[in-house]
Amino acid sequence: MSDAAHSNAAPADLIELGRISAAYGVKGWVKVQPHSANAEVLLSASQWWLTRPVPELARGAVASAPVAYKVVQVRSQGATVVAQLAGIADRDQAEALRGYSVQAPRGSFPAPEEDEYYWVDLIGCSLYTTADGDAALIGVVDEVLDNGAHAVLKVLRQKVGADGPETLLNAKGKPAEMLVPFVRAHIQAVDLAARRIDSDWPADL
């Protein structure tokens, strides 16, 4: 661990923003592949928390604790982000960070513009439809995808049962999914406090 890396306790609200894909140049810069088209948080954060990847084949392997690195310089580089981190001074040190996840506390994110949302905040929201008149539950947002033109909600289908929402299964016995475009034409309202999204997307597509 470099002198610039800190082992203080990581914040509880860390969100993974991307992964280091390679070294960049010969002076210790790293290249990061963001998880979404919006790299604003990577560019604005003064400190990144890096977590070493856990080998998929390592049974019982435990993820390492996140380590904080001060961001000295950072800029966009095409679809990626490149940065100089304090204490990483040459290409070999940067290459050793390949595969590490890059995280930042949710509380440090810049405030989004009106009618803009961070994808991480949409995950876990219940999606409802008014396509047939009254509001009906479609399911819960499990993931947000990027198709190049706009965001797409991957929704795990649910129905309202006697004891609350129940997950619907497909013919193979796995949770049924639906993809819903996250665009103004179909999304009527987003209430993050209530963890609810209203749409006119048909529930039977």
Side-chain angles (χ1 to χ4, degrees), residues 9-99:
D13 61 343
L14 285 179
I15 301 296
E16 184 171 319
L17 304 172
R19 288 185 179 270
I20 295 176
S21 59
Y24 179 77
V26 297
K27 296 184 178 180
W29 286 54
V30 295
K31 180 184 289 187
V32 179
Q33 183 62 54
H35 284 330
S36 76
N38 186 357
E40 180 182 354
V41 180
L42 283 170
L43 295 171
S44 66
S46 61
Q47 179 173 268
W48 290 354
W49 291 82
L50 304 185
T51 302
R52 179 168 52 83
V54 176
E56 293 182 5
L57 300 179
R59 293 184 178 180
V62 178
S64 61
V67 177
Y69 286 82
K70 180 182 178 181
V71 179
V72 180
Q73 299 182 69
V74 62
R75 67 173 185 265
S76 296
Q77 185 75 22
T80 64
V81 169
V82 295
Q84 178 186 21
L85 303 178
I88 307 300
D90 59 43
R91 187 176 180 87
D92 288 342
Q93 288 180 306
E95 193 64 35
L97 296 176
R98 181 194 292 266

Side-chain angles (χ1 to χ4, degrees), residues 6 42 64 97 114 127 180:
H6 306 290
L42 283 170
S64 61
L97 296 176
E114 186 176 357
L127 178 68
V180 179

Side-chain angles (χ1 to χ4, degrees), residues 156-159 165-169 175-176:
L156 298 183
R157 297 296 312 277
Q158 292 182 332
K159 66 177 181 180
E166 299 176 358
T167 300
L168 296 177
L169 303 179

Side-chain angles (χ1 to χ4, degrees), residues 44-190:
S44 66
S46 61
Q47 179 173 268
W48 290 354
W49 291 82
L50 304 185
T51 302
R52 179 168 52 83
V54 176
E56 293 182 5
L57 300 179
R59 293 184 178 180
V62 178
S64 61
V67 177
Y69 286 82
K70 180 182 178 181
V71 179
V72 180
Q73 299 182 69
V74 62
R75 67 173 185 265
S76 296
Q77 185 75 22
T80 64
V81 169
V82 295
Q84 178 186 21
L85 303 178
I88 307 300
D90 59 43
R91 187 176 180 87
D92 288 342
Q93 288 180 306
E95 193 64 35
L97 296 176
R98 181 194 292 266
Y100 276 55
S101 67
V102 180
Q103 301 161 301
R106 174 62 185 87
S108 70
F109 287 18
E113 298 293 330
E114 186 176 357
D115 290 335
E116 291 186 355
Y117 305 92
Y118 286 113
W119 291 4
V120 65
D121 292 339
L122 301 177
I123 295 173
C125 288
S126 295
L127 178 68
Y128 288 80
T129 179
T130 57
D132 295 324
D134 295 334
L137 177 66
I138 291 181
V140 63
V141 178
D142 179 61
E143 188 176 351
V144 183
L145 312 172
D146 183 3
N147 71 358
H150 54 73
V152 177
L153 306 178
K154 188 178 84 170
V155 180
L156 298 183
R157 297 296 312 277
Q158 292 182 332
K159 66 177 181 180
V160 178
D163 298 321
E166 299 176 358
T167 300
L168 296 177
L169 303 179
N170 59 24
K172 296 182 179 180
K174 296 181 179 181
E177 299 176 358
M178 173 181 283
L179 298 179
V180 179
F182 189 71
V183 294
R184 189 183 300 273
H186 296 295
I187 301 300
Q188 300 170 329
V190 177

